[in-house]
Amino acid sequence: MIHSQKLVVVILESRDQLMAYSMTTYTWSKIPISDKADQKIIPTVSSSMAACLLGQSIYAYSSVAGKWAELKFPEDINTRYEIGIDRVNAVSKTDSINQFFVFGINNGAWSDVDLNNGKILEVKPQKQE
């Protein structure tokens, strides 16, 4: 368990999903983990946000929206992320790809812009409980 001012993140013993409780919405939210369950799970939190890199996926949580969302990358792409008070940012860059992702506190969804041409791309949300 890891917590901050506005949320609590729990790693289940089954290690097949991430759960979070929002002090804003007073609800639990969970999302399945698609990568290996034996991998070490270390969430990072700010006062209202949580994020976790597992394999080729970044899982982000907003306590305001009360939602998780997964951002999955192909095997050959390296990425990094940072967490702020009201967002999670991720960057994915290769010779041909230069993308910037934002997971916002209010909508609890990933948004993406191609930094080569300014095209705004849509990240499909993953169904959660």
Side-chain angles (χ1 to χ4, degrees):
M1 176 180 78
I2 186 167
H3 62 87
S4 68
Q5 184 179 12
K6 300 283 184 180
L7 60 88
V8 177
V9 177
V10 179
I11 310 303
L12 302 178
E13 285 186 28
S14 63
R15 303 177 57 81
D16 62 350
Q17 56 190 327
L18 296 169
M19 288 190 73
Y21 182 80
S22 167
M23 302 325 179
T24 304
T25 65
Y26 305 107
T27 58
W28 284 99
S29 177
K30 58 186 173 180
I31 190 167
I33 297 171
S34 61
D35 284 306
K36 300 174 188 166
D38 60 347
Q39 186 176 359
K40 192 169 187 174
I41 302 171
I42 306 173
T44 304
V45 298
S46 68
S47 61
S48 298
M49 308 292 289
C52 188
L53 176 64
L54 292 171
Q56 292 299 116
S57 294
I58 299 173
Y59 297 88
Y61 177 77
S62 163
S63 66
V64 171
K67 293 181 183 178
W68 284 99
E70 178 184 10
L71 179 60
K72 191 167 182 121
F73 295 93
E75 289 292 326
D76 58 341
I77 294 180
N78 291 324
T79 188
R80 60 182 172 81
Y81 79 93
E82 62 185 19
I83 189 167
I85 295 169
D86 59 358
R87 71 192 174 286
V88 177
N89 298 332
V91 176
S92 177
K93 187 169 183 170
T94 65
D95 291 340
S96 61
I97 296 172
N98 190 11
Q99 291 175 294
F100 180 73
F101 301 85
V102 179
F103 176 86
I105 193 169
N106 289 322
N107 67 349
W110 287 102
S111 181
D112 174 20
V113 64
D114 186 326
L115 296 176
N116 293 325
N117 59 26
K119 183 177 179 182
I120 297 172
L121 307 169
E122 215 176 288
V123 178
K124 292 184 181 182
Q126 178 179 355
K127 190 173 182 176
Q128 59 180 299
E129 297 175 31

